[in-house]
Amino acid sequence: MTIAIYPGSFDPITYGHLDIIKSGAEIFDKIIIAVSNNQNKKGFLPIETRINLIKESTKDIKNVEVEGYMGLTIDFAKKHGAEVLLRGLRTSFDFEYEMQLSQTNYTLDNKIKTVFLITKPEYSFISSSAVREILANKGNITQFVPIPVEKYLKSIQL
Ligand code: ADP
């Protein structure tokens, strides 16, 4: 059984993330979405809210679990018996950063491999930071985030 960890901030989860999760769930036996609770990075949404929104957005995908974590991703992966770190690639800008991250993680533990999936063209411009910016300026986020996320973000905007 191959378990893959999909780590990230998911602040909030977008259609781009969901695309990677759906594809990953077809390839691996289990995907654990690992939501980072980085103490140095003040998040937009609290970790519990991010986790709940991911759970609602992925409820139809059977082999997906969601969990928050602190510390090194590689330690979280080891704790769960995962062999794969799943990451998404949008552009060559992502590639530079992701390559370094993957090589760092490989150096920390060479048994855990990073696998990249390239997003579908229609989602390649989507980022959580763009969603936050659009929201702050009262723009329309319908095309960017799953329905439960849109509903929640609209409710807190009132
Ligand atoms: P991090 O802070 O770890 O970059 P993110 O939530 O921004 O967390 O991203 C998590 C993962 O999802 C990263 O591998 C990122 O490249 C990928 N990702 C983000 N947005 C998209 C998208 N629109 N399409 C595909 N992958 C994406």
Side-chain angles (χ1 to χ4, degrees):
M1 166 143 156
T2 308
I3 302 171
I5 303 291
Y6 181 36
S9 313
F10 306 100
D11 196 18
I13 183 171
T14 67
Y15 277 131
H17 293 127
L18 197 57
D19 179 44
I20 300 296
I21 295 165
K22 283 182 181 162
S23 300
E26 287 173 15
I27 301 168
F28 302 107
D29 297 304
K30 184 155 97 179
I31 305 278
I32 304 174
I33 304 170
V35 186
S36 67
N37 194 4
N38 187 339
Q39 299 296 69
N40 303 324
K41 201 165 140 186
K42 194 183 166 334
F44 162 60
L45 296 174
I47 180 132
E48 296 77 20
T49 306
R50 284 185 267 148
I51 291 174
N52 287 337
L53 291 175
I54 299 171
K55 283 186 179 163
E56 283 183 60
S57 305
T58 59
K59 67 176 184 332
D60 296 332
I61 315 169
K62 297 270 169 299
N63 51 341
V64 166
E65 290 175 13
V66 190
E67 230 183 275
Y69 78 107
M70 278 162 78
L72 294 177
T73 307
I74 214 84
D75 291 335
F76 180 86
K78 268 193 252 184
K79 195 176 106 192
H80 288 81
E83 292 164 42
V84 171
L85 294 180
L86 178 62
R87 296 286 287 179
L89 287 179
R90 285 165 290 194
T91 61
S92 54
F93 292 108
D94 277 347
F95 177 76
E96 294 295 330
Y97 169 73
E98 293 289 341
M99 187 175 72
Q100 275 195 336
L101 193 62
S102 151
Q103 288 167 340
T104 304
N105 284 326
Y106 182 81
T107 306
L108 291 173
D109 187 335
N110 63 10
K111 285 188 281 305
I112 300 176
K113 311 284 193 269
T114 305
V115 171
F116 296 106
L117 289 177
I118 292 178
T119 189
K120 292 198 184 70
E122 61 263 43
Y123 302 131
S124 65
F125 61 92
I126 298 181
S127 66
S128 300
S129 57
V131 170
R132 297 194 296 267
E133 186 69 27
I134 296 167
L135 199 73
N137 291 287
K138 302 201 176 341
N140 184 0
I141 51 168
T142 307
Q143 310 287 323
F144 295 75
V145 292
I147 290 160
V149 181
E150 184 185 2
K151 275 193 187 152
Y152 175 77
L153 293 177
K154 279 188 176 162
S155 78
I156 59 167
Q157 217 181 12
L158 296 173

